[in-house]
């Protein structure tokens, strides 16, 4: 499950503040006729309530404020991540749900507000039901966790525009020891409840944690630590006197040695102790009520009622279909041999890879930018609404590249002051083949995550809890769908790049098989790795990372293919019903301009659009 400290999870805390709306004196909701004026009034009241919840939740989360580009008196603070806070959040969720059920007359809301009501109510009900499984995750793992998130947060999120911002940076360094104490307490609670990371996790997180406290001022090496270098780089751009700059650096060095180092030392010590108690059992079936938890996790991730067996079988069928399409590519390039032979050829021929040095990495980034720029020039063919926010391409930072995923997207700020970022992990260039570049850039950049998330951020007529909402099947389904979309307008002219697209889709189909294999069918880590290496052209290092991701994030990786299939199904049905009236640009507007939604809600929205088009016709 997702780490609670992630921005996406933090923003969902906006659902948990109670606010009371007064009714008009001398009357009840049911006594007022649903005139247009009444509907407007009641809808406005509920939307104001949504806004109040969001703002109050943000006010309780200093980290969310920073993710959103908001600077307040809390800019130098961390969130409260204690178990006590989780209990308080549950109480707020129950209060909010009671308010929605008892005090809101849905018959007096407009359609847009009814959708917001349904989404908020569903989110609250899920949150309350899921509370019993709040310990069923690993707060520190190789994919996420504060050991790596904190330095990434300080580097990428904590901007320094003046001296007070620099002092807030130092304040956060000072507060890290207390934050990590809460983190360790949370991990102790989980272990008491039978939730302990598998053994392979520890070497990776210990290595990443050690990297953060390597270099000056933690040791006498000639290299500055990641955080000190970041701080110095940020204040070097300020107009400060030499004395002020020297004082700030001195304070930062003191905070690093007296705040950051003790925090990481404590975490490292605890992880080393846990490592001895960890086992090699990987699936969440090992947890108390593990099978029930996994089925619920699948439901939350996919926003469907598909069972583990159904998802597993779908994956097997999709793998077979994609393999057959790959054989068609082999014919196009006149390759003779088996599909496995072709996989080996694609893995081993050096022409498909940049060199594993600075020159090769720079060439990869340059070409990725070019792919995104080309796609930008074609957007009018596919979209009506386009994002205002810019996007930049970056390599994953060295301190976390060894364990980070292959590629990922980080959204910008609502005001556009921080652009969206497409991160490519260039640690091992053998895991970043040229033939997959195109699909990867489309997925993470344009028209994928950057487009979907930026448009959502820029929406003006929906509550903020929806703007910042996350439904993985929707967001990742869109990302995978947009790997295919450019092919439909003539891109992927190189058959090897089209093979790369299929390889990426194949990878997601295999995820359905392996995620359910590990967590429902008791596959071992090694069995999962073998399935990937037998059925895909990806490097073995890719397979290892993916299987280990499945293990620490049960169900998450099933979202991509199920979400993509649903979007394609909805598009096909709409095209069939509308015929010549079908406009793919309008279809994409329906998908993108309501914010993230569960797949069943997306289906309702598309059906409503189709019905409205038929009426027009």
């Amino acid at each position: 499950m997702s780490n609670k400290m992630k921005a996406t999870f933090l923003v969902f805390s906006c659902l948990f503040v109670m606010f009371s709306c007064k009714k008009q004196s001398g009357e009840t909701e049911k006594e007022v006729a649903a005139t247009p004026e009444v509907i407007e009034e009641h809808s406005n009241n509920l939307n104001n309530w949504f806004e109040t919840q969001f703002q109050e939740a943000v006010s309780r989360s200093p980290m969310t404020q920073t993710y959103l580009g908001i600077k307040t008196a809390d800019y130098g603070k961390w969130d409260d991540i204690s178990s006590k806070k989780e209990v308080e959040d549950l109480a707020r969720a129950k209060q909010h749900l009671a308010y929605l059920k008892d005090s809101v007359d849905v018959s007096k809301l407009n359609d847009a507000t009814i959708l917001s009501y349904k989404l908020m109510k569903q989110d609250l009900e899920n949150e309350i039901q899921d509370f019993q499984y709040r310990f069923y995750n690993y707060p520190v793992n190789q994919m996420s966790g504060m050991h790596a998130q904190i330095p990434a947060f300080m580097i990428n999120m904590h901007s320094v525009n003046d001296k007070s911002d620099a002092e807030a940076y130092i304040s956060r360094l000072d507060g890290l020891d207390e934050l990590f104490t809460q983190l360790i307490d949370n991990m102790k609670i989980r272990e008491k409840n039978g939730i302990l990371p598998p053994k392979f996790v520890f070497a990776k997180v210990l290595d990443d944690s050690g990297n953060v406290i390597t270099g000056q001022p933690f040791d006498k090496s000639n290299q500055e630590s990641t955080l000190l270098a970041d701080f110095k780089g940020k204040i070097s751009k300020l107009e400060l006197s030499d004395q002020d700059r020297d004082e700030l650096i001195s304070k930062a060095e003191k905070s690093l040695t007296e705040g950051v180092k003790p925090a990481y030392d404590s975490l490292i010590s605890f992880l080393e102790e846990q490592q001895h108690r960890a086992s090699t059992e990987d699936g969440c079936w090992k947890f108390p009520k593990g099978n029930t938890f996994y089925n619920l996790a699948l439901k939350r991730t996919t926003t469907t009622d598909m069972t583990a067996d159904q998802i597993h079988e779908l994956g097997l069928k999709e793998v077979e279909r994609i393999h057959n399409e790959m054989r068609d590519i082999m014919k196009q390039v006149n390759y003779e041999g088996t599909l496995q032979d072709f996989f080996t050829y694609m893995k081993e021929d050096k022409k498909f890879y940049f060199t594993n040095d600075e020159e090769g990495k720079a060439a990869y980034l340059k070409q990725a930018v070019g792919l995104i720029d080309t796609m930008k020039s074609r957007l009018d063919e596919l979209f009506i609404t386009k994002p205002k926010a810019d996007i930049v391409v970056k390599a994953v930072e060295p301190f976390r590249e060894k364990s980070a995923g292959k590629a990922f997207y980080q959204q910008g700020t609502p005001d556009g002051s921080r652009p969206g970022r497409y991160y490519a992990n260039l640690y091992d260039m053998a895991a970043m083949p040229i033939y997959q570049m195109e699909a990867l850039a489309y997925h993470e950049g344009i028209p994928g995550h950057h487009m979907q998330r930026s448009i959502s951020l820029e929406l003006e007529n929906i509550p903020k809890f929806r703007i910042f909402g996350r439904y993985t099947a929707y967001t990742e389904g869109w990302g995978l769908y947009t790997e295919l979309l450019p092919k439909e307008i003539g891109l992927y002219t190189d058959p090897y790049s089209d093979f790369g697209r299929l390889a990426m889709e194949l990878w997601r189909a295999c995820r359905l098989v392996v995620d359910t294999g590990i967590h429902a069918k008791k596959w071992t880590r090694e069995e999962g790795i073998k399935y990937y290496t037998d059925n895909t052209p990806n490097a073995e290092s890719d397979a290892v990372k993916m299987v280990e991701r499945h293990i620490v994030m049960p169900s998450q990786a099933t979202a991509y293919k199920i979400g993509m299939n649903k979007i394609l199904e909805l598009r096909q049905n709409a095209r069939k019903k509308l015929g010549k009236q079908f406009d793919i640009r309008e279809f994409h507007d329906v998908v993108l301009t309501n914010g993230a939604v569960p797949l069943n809600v997306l289906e309702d929205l598309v059906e409503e659009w189709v019905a409205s088009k038929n009426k027009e016709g």
Side-chain angles (χ1 to χ4, degrees):
M1 301 293 284
S2 297
N3 187 294
K4 184 177 179 183
M5 296 308 301
K6 282 189 175 180
T8 54
F9 190 90
L10 288 169
V11 172
F12 272 116
S13 66
C14 70
L15 304 176
F16 310 136
V17 186
M18 185 58 187
F19 176 81
S20 215
C21 288
K22 297 182 180 179
K23 299 176 184 176
Q24 295 181 7
S25 177
E27 62 184 13
T28 66
E29 303 264 356
K30 295 180 180 179
E31 293 170 349
V32 181
T35 64
E37 292 78 15
V38 168
I39 289 175
E40 182 180 5
E41 178 186 0
H42 283 68
S43 298
N44 287 341
N45 287 342
L46 185 56
N47 281 306
N48 289 337
W49 184 83
F50 291 145
E51 178 64 16
T52 299
Q53 312 323 309
F54 182 84
Q55 294 300 337
E56 291 188 5
V58 169
S59 73
R60 296 194 312 277
S61 174
M63 294 181 72
T64 299
Q65 293 168 27
T66 302
Y67 278 114
L68 298 180
I70 300 169
K71 293 181 181 179
T72 69
D74 292 335
Y75 197 45
K77 299 178 182 178
W78 298 110
D79 285 9
D80 179 358
I81 61 166
S82 65
S83 57
K84 179 182 176 182
K85 173 69 162 43
E86 291 180 323
V87 174
E88 293 171 354
D89 288 345
L90 176 66
R92 289 190 182 94
K94 290 179 176 179
Q95 290 172 338
H96 288 159
L97 184 59
Y99 171 76
L100 290 177
K101 287 181 174 181
D102 300 338
S103 302
V104 177
D105 186 348
V106 180
S107 69
K108 295 182 174 64
L109 302 175
N110 59 34
D111 290 344
T113 308
I114 288 173
L115 177 57
S116 298
Y117 173 91
K118 289 178 179 177
L119 292 173
M120 172 73 86
K121 181 172 175 288
Q122 178 178 299
D123 286 345
L124 290 169
E125 289 170 341
N126 290 349
E127 179 66 25
I128 292 166
Q129 183 182 3
D130 296 350
F131 184 76
Q132 63 183 309
Y133 296 113
R134 66 194 180 280
F135 300 132
Y136 281 53
N137 58 20
Y138 305 125
V140 172
N141 62 72
Q142 82 285 0
M143 295 298 301
S144 63
M146 279 192 289
H147 67 294
Q149 182 198 358
I150 291 302
F153 178 91
M154 297 304 293
I155 292 167
N156 296 310
M157 299 297 160
H158 190 111
S159 62
V160 176
N161 298 323
D162 55 35
K163 185 179 178 182
S164 67
D165 290 348
E167 290 170 341
Y169 192 114
I170 293 169
S171 178
R172 277 183 159 150
L173 297 180
D174 287 331
L176 205 58
D177 199 14
E178 181 180 352
L179 181 68
F180 273 33
T181 297
Q182 288 186 335
L183 172 64
I184 293 169
D185 288 343
N186 291 340
M187 295 168 71
K188 288 178 179 177
I189 292 171
R190 281 163 175 76
E191 186 172 357
K192 287 179 181 178
N193 284 273
I195 313 297
L196 185 68
K199 191 170 286 290
F200 76 82
V201 168
F202 290 89
K204 298 175 186 298
V205 297
L206 284 166
D207 188 43
D208 286 350
S209 298
N211 288 342
V212 178
I213 51 174
T214 298
Q216 301 173 16
F218 305 114
D219 56 43
K220 296 181 180 180
S221 66
N222 294 325
Q223 187 174 357
E224 292 176 342
S225 65
T226 297
L227 287 171
L228 181 59
D230 178 60
F231 182 76
K232 283 186 173 182
K234 285 174 176 173
I235 67 169
S236 69
K237 299 172 184 176
L238 303 180
E239 293 184 5
L240 298 170
S241 67
D242 290 343
Q243 181 179 349
D244 282 347
R245 183 172 286 103
D246 290 343
E247 286 180 358
L248 286 170
I249 292 172
S250 178
K251 288 179 181 179
E253 289 176 338
K254 185 173 186 291
S255 298
L256 286 166
T257 55
E258 296 182 6
V260 175
K261 191 172 190 304
Y264 274 91
D265 283 344
S266 296
L267 179 62
I268 289 169
S269 177
F270 179 73
L271 290 170
E272 287 174 341
E273 291 175 11
Q274 273 202 330
Q275 186 175 22
H276 296 300
R277 301 190 289 273
S279 74
T280 56
E281 291 181 335
D282 298 316
C284 59
W285 48 265
K286 69 180 181 179
F287 300 158
K289 300 181 185 177
N291 291 330
T292 303
F293 161 72
Y294 182 60
N295 287 329
L296 183 62
L298 287 173
K299 186 173 183 178
R300 295 289 182 261
T301 294
T302 67
T303 62
T304 73
D305 292 322
M306 293 181 72
T307 66
D309 284 342
Q310 289 172 329
I311 292 171
H312 192 84
E313 287 304 312
L314 174 63
L316 292 173
K317 289 177 182 176
E318 287 289 272
V319 167
E320 183 179 6
R321 174 187 64 79
I322 297 167
H323 278 173
N324 287 333
E325 292 189 26
M326 286 178 156
R327 292 185 179 100
D328 291 337
I329 297 284
M330 291 168 58
K331 293 176 183 176
Q332 288 181 43
V333 298
N334 298 314
Y335 184 89
E336 295 182 2
T338 67
L339 184 60
Q340 280 293 337
D341 292 337
F342 194 57
F343 286 170
T344 301
Y345 166 63
M346 299 297 282
K347 286 178 185 177
E348 296 180 355
D349 196 304
K350 292 183 179 180
K351 72 180 179 185
F352 296 121
Y353 300 89
F354 289 107
T355 54
N356 196 30
D357 53 26
E358 292 308 310
E359 184 179 351
K361 294 176 182 182
Y364 187 101
L365 294 175
K366 182 179 179 181
Q367 192 165 327
V369 171
L371 288 166
I372 289 174
D373 286 345
T374 298
M375 189 64 221
K376 280 182 183 178
S377 70
R378 304 289 300 273
L379 291 181
D380 286 339
E381 300 171 47
L382 296 167
F383 299 95
I384 298 170
T385 303
K386 295 177 282 292
K388 300 181 184 71
D390 198 6
I391 180 172
V392 297
V393 182
K394 292 187 67 175
V396 174
E397 301 91 348
F399 76 88
R400 58 174 174 163
E401 66 179 356
K402 189 174 181 180
S403 59
K406 184 185 186 80
F408 51 92
Y409 175 77
Q410 187 174 75
Q411 72 183 33
T413 49
D415 63 3
S417 60
R418 186 176 69 236
R421 295 186 176 111
Y422 159 33
Y423 280 94
N425 191 341
L426 306 182
Y427 174 74
D428 177 13
M429 296 305 290
M432 299 294 280
I434 294 170
Y435 60 82
Q436 288 186 0
M437 282 191 70
E438 200 166 348
L440 202 58
Y442 298 148
H443 180 112
E444 302 295 348
I446 292 175
H449 287 321
H450 177 69
M451 192 135 185
Q452 179 261 311
R453 294 186 186 178
S454 295
I455 287 174
S456 180
L457 280 178
E458 294 163 11
L459 293 174
E460 296 179 351
N461 298 317
I462 67 172
K464 288 190 177 68
F465 85 89
R466 285 176 56 190
I467 290 174
F468 295 102
R470 290 288 180 270
Y471 297 92
T472 310
Y474 170 91
T475 56
E476 296 299 352
W478 174 260
L480 186 51
Y481 167 75
T482 56
E483 292 179 22
L484 170 65
L485 190 59
K487 178 179 173 62
E488 298 175 336
I489 61 169
L491 299 180
Y492 294 106
T493 54
D494 180 353
Y496 289 112
S497 283
D498 197 26
F499 174 85
R501 175 189 66 80
L502 287 170
M504 297 275 281
E505 186 180 3
L506 176 64
W507 192 247
R508 278 42 169 265
C510 289
R511 287 176 178 180
L512 301 182
V513 179
V514 180
D515 195 290
T516 52
I518 287 170
H519 295 294
K521 299 180 182 298
K522 297 188 177 182
W523 285 17
T524 64
R525 173 177 173 274
E526 289 67 32
E527 285 174 315
I529 293 169
K530 186 175 187 302
Y531 186 85
Y532 278 113
T533 55
D534 285 351
N535 288 283
T536 76
N538 289 58
E540 184 177 358
S541 60
D542 274 357
V544 171
K545 280 189 176 183
M546 181 49 58
V547 170
E548 291 177 348
R549 169 176 162 178
H550 288 306
I551 291 168
V552 302
M553 300 171 71
S555 84
Q556 190 272 345
T558 64
Y560 299 68
K561 199 72 183 71
I562 289 173
M564 176 199 191
N565 282 14
K566 174 57 72 171
I567 294 172
L568 287 171
E569 174 195 320
L570 295 176
R571 191 181 77 174
Q572 181 180 357
N573 290 343
R575 194 189 299 272
K576 183 178 179 180
K577 291 176 181 178
L578 292 177
K580 293 181 180 179
Q581 282 185 289
F582 180 81
D583 184 335
I584 195 167
R585 298 173 306 157
E586 292 182 16
F587 172 78
H588 290 152
D589 240 34
V590 174
V591 175
L592 293 176
T593 58
N594 289 284
V597 293
L599 296 182
N600 63 311
V601 173
L602 181 63
E603 184 169 3
D604 292 340
L605 292 170
V606 173
E607 288 179 354
E608 289 168 8
W609 169 68
V610 170
S612 69
K613 291 286 287 183
N614 279 328
K615 285 182 182 179
E616 291 173 9

